[in-house]
Amino acid sequence: MTKTKLQGLTGMHDILPQDQIYFKKIQKSVESIANYYGFSKIDTPLLEYAELFIKGTGADTDAVAKEMYSFRTKGGDLVALRPEFTPSMVRSYIEHGMHNLPQPVKLWTLGPLFRHEKPQAGRYRQFFQFDIEAIGDKSPSIDGQIIQMSYDILKDLSFKNINIGVNSIGDTECRPHFKKILASYFKSRRSSLCADCQRRLKENPLRILDCKEEKCQQVKAGAPQIIDNLCENCHAHFKQVLEFLDELELPYALNPYLVRGLDYYTKTVFEIMEKSDDGLAQGSLVGGGRYDNLVKLLGGRDTPAIGAAGGIDRILNLMKNRELKNPPVGKKNQEKPEIFLAQLGQMAKRKSLKLFEEFRAAKVPVAESFSKDSLRAQLKTADKMGIRWVLIFGQKEALENFITLRDMENGVQKEIPLDKVVEEMKNKIKN
Ligand code: HAM
């Protein structure tokens, strides 16, 4: 019988203990910035009716047509693991009558999503996003605010070379006309397009603008631009959005070929990348835009909205890479204990557990290895962890209510009364 070694699924990865610190940092930044801007936290289920995404995200989008994890339940319902948050957020807005609340309703969330994509750098089949949505506001100022918040989060996480690409893709009034202009441009160059784009030419010529194939990029370079073909309303909206971005002094650049790969977008779309000098390609870190027709499409009232989502795994990879190259100097790692509590003998072990609890209550991080009995083994563990201060709690100490502190750097030892030890150690690691 052959033994199979179980592995994780392709495109799915663990977030290992050593990476949790980055994950937590991202979560904290998102939460504090979302709170500051008055966004409320919401959690939606991982599983929804597949129809929500077929209708909302779009039946022809890659995320739904090629990548959605969907299946029938025992009861016969066709359900899907969420490939993105936006349709779920809108469903929840409609289902819970949030149109009765003061508008816009500002929501944020964070969690795992699933897309059966071709695995490559920064592209996973289970990945995490943070997501912000402002539902019920058509004013261009909220477009500016959503872009500002996305920028703030990356800035807060110490990203330096942030590049915001912005475009407007019009609405139902001007886009059909532009699609015709675009289709006729590409039709006369059909043979120079990749096979996928030849198909897109029929279904949605806008998507050709999004193609990463070299040959299509060349054809695209001369294509007509939607900003020259916007209706009056979309044009005025976009102009004001750009004025806000100027006022906010955000580092944006017009990208006339930015169209985004999801069906619901109208007017403003944007993507944020980091111009990296180390070549660690991760693609866009944040993507978003306005979706003024989605609430109605999913059965709600006519309600304008805008939002954005950030790829946590990609952001985490870049943060980790940055720190590997430039390890922080002179900064204490708050997560890493600087004290080790070693014990010897049954009575000392019992008392150590109590002392450990006292350190926890005082919020002083302490490492231990209670499962080990030998002092040598415990000192070796402390040494491996790079810990300087070891508290030794042996039989004599337990009987006489003191503890021995050993400085691992020079081997010097001193005795501390048991009732003073927490306070004294707290002061020691402060300095
Ligand atoms: P999206 O562009 O599909 O937009 O995804 C947003 C971000 O999620 C991307 O910029 C990227 O950082 C990350 N991401 C997407 N796919 C993957 C993947 N396979 N692996 C790792 N990271 C990935 C949306 O999802 C929209 N719902 C954003 C939005 C919110 N628009 C309006 N409101």
Side-chain angles (χ1 to χ4, degrees):
M1 209 170 75
T2 50
K3 241 196 204 167
T4 37
K5 203 160 120 199
L6 282 179
Q7 295 185 333
L9 290 170
T10 304
M12 309 227 167
H13 64 290
D14 302 311
I15 299 173
L16 295 169
Q18 62 268 31
D19 293 341
Q20 293 292 335
I21 184 165
Y22 303 105
F23 198 97
K24 229 197 245 169
K25 261 191 196 166
I26 300 169
Q27 208 166 358
K28 252 172 109 176
S29 278
V30 173
E31 182 163 8
S32 89
I33 288 165
N35 279 343
Y36 188 80
Y37 278 89
F39 283 62
S40 309
K41 175 91 193 287
I42 181 171
D43 287 303
T44 61
L46 263 74
L47 216 52
E48 299 267 6
Y49 283 114
E51 194 193 349
L52 176 67
F53 305 110
I54 295 170
K55 251 184 157 175
T57 312
D60 296 329
T61 59
D62 285 352
V64 171
K66 297 187 190 161
E67 299 157 4
M68 193 157 71
Y69 285 86
S70 55
F71 59 94
R72 278 207 187 274
T73 61
K74 284 183 184 151
D77 292 326
L78 184 62
V79 298
L81 284 171
R82 59 188 184 193
E84 58 149 338
F85 283 116
T86 312
S88 306
M89 304 281 258
V90 169
R91 184 218 18 89
S92 184
Y93 172 92
I94 300 168
E95 194 173 329
H96 298 285
M98 294 189 210
H99 61 269
N100 291 318
L101 301 173
Q103 305 292 300
V105 172
K106 296 172 168 183
L107 303 169
W108 78 275
T109 194
L110 185 151
L113 302 163
F114 302 84
R115 295 184 196 174
H116 196 269
E117 302 213 48
K118 215 159 64 192
Q120 48 185 285
R123 220 166 253 290
Y124 304 103
R125 289 183 176 169
Q126 177 179 331
F127 59 98
F128 283 79
Q129 274 186 355
F130 64 81
D131 185 279
I132 49 178
E133 310 286 354
I135 307 177
D137 192 336
K138 65 177 177 16
S139 108
S141 62
I142 194 92
D143 302 36
Q145 202 172 67
I146 290 283
I147 297 174
Q148 171 84 59
M149 284 175 73
S150 309
Y151 173 80
D152 283 351
I153 291 168
L154 293 177
K155 213 57 202 159
D156 195 45
L157 296 169
S158 305
F159 282 84
K160 299 241 156 39
N161 303 312
I162 301 171
N163 189 352
I164 308 172
V166 196
N167 195 19
S168 171
I169 56 164
D171 63 6
T172 43
E173 197 177 312
C174 49
R175 205 178 324 148
H177 174 62
F178 177 67
K179 273 189 184 170
K180 278 188 195 145
I181 300 179
L182 203 60
S184 88
Y185 170 84
F186 283 125
K187 253 182 213 154
S188 59
R189 292 159 181 85
R190 179 186 216 112
S191 56
S192 314
L193 296 173
C194 72
D196 265 353
C197 281
Q198 295 197 10
R199 183 180 44 78
R200 288 181 183 126
L201 189 50
K202 260 198 233 140
E203 289 160 7
N204 185 358
L206 270 182
R207 288 271 152 73
I208 302 176
L209 299 177
D210 209 22
C211 182
K212 305 287 178 288
E213 289 278 331
E214 179 57 35
K215 58 199 285 198
C216 301
Q217 298 265 0
Q218 280 178 17
V219 185
K220 175 176 110 173
Q225 300 188 357
I226 191 158
I227 24 184
D228 300 328
N229 292 278
L230 293 175
C231 61
E232 219 172 288
N233 181 11
C234 289
H235 186 268
H237 183 93
F238 194 46
K239 190 166 163 270
Q240 287 182 62
V241 172
L242 298 184
E243 282 166 8
F244 277 113
L245 299 185
D246 285 332
E247 188 66 37
L248 295 165
E249 296 182 26
L250 291 173
Y252 76 91
L254 281 182
N255 177 353
Y257 299 121
L258 178 66
V259 288
R260 311 258 308 125
L262 310 167
D263 266 2
Y264 44 68
Y265 289 115
T266 51
K267 297 184 178 162
T268 317
V269 287
F270 71 97
E271 267 179 14
I272 308 186
M273 317 261 258
E274 147 143 290
K275 275 183 273 166
S276 78
D277 3 81
D278 54 17
L280 185 74
Q282 292 286 316
S284 63
L285 301 182
V286 181
R290 191 161 266 290
Y291 51 95
D292 290 346
N293 303 327
L294 185 61
V295 181
K296 191 161 180 209
L297 181 78
L298 293 178
R301 300 177 178 192
D302 205 356
T303 311
I306 180 162
I312 292 182
D313 311 74
R314 291 182 185 182
I315 294 172
L316 189 153
N317 287 345
L318 290 174
M319 286 169 72
K320 199 171 141 184
N321 192 51
R322 188 171 63 207
E323 209 156 294
L324 279 178
K325 288 200 160 157
N326 304 303
V329 275
K331 230 168 76 187
K332 281 189 191 170
N333 185 345
Q334 297 300 326
E335 302 289 312
K336 209 175 136 205
E338 294 174 65
I339 303 166
F340 189 95
L341 179 56
Q343 36 68 41
L344 198 64
Q346 276 316 307
M347 183 156 112
K349 193 183 288 250
R350 269 201 315 276
K351 286 199 170 183
S352 292
L353 292 175
K354 182 153 180 281
L355 181 60
F356 188 73
E357 195 45 36
E358 283 167 27
F359 273 117
R360 193 199 58 76
K363 296 191 170 52
V364 180
V366 171
E368 46 74 29
S369 189
F370 290 142
S371 61
K372 288 198 175 81
D373 292 328
S374 128
L375 184 62
R376 238 185 89 209
Q378 293 179 71
L379 292 180
K380 222 164 136 187
T381 308
D383 194 44
K384 258 197 199 152
M385 292 172 84
I387 292 181
R388 178 173 177 189
W389 306 110
V390 176
L391 292 167
I392 302 170
F393 208 9
Q395 198 71 358
K396 185 164 187 290
E397 283 89 347
L399 279 170
E400 294 173 23
N401 284 325
F402 75 94
I403 201 155
T404 303
L405 171 67
R406 182 187 177 103
D407 183 344
M408 296 288 273
E409 272 181 19
N410 51 24
V412 173
Q413 300 199 162
K414 84 175 242 201
E415 293 176 359
I416 309 173
L418 203 51
D419 57 353
K420 300 266 178 330
V421 68
V422 173
E423 209 44 44
E424 188 158 337
M425 293 316 294
K426 206 172 178 178
N427 290 333
K428 217 167 207 59
I429 61 169
K430 237 192 251 161
N431 304 322

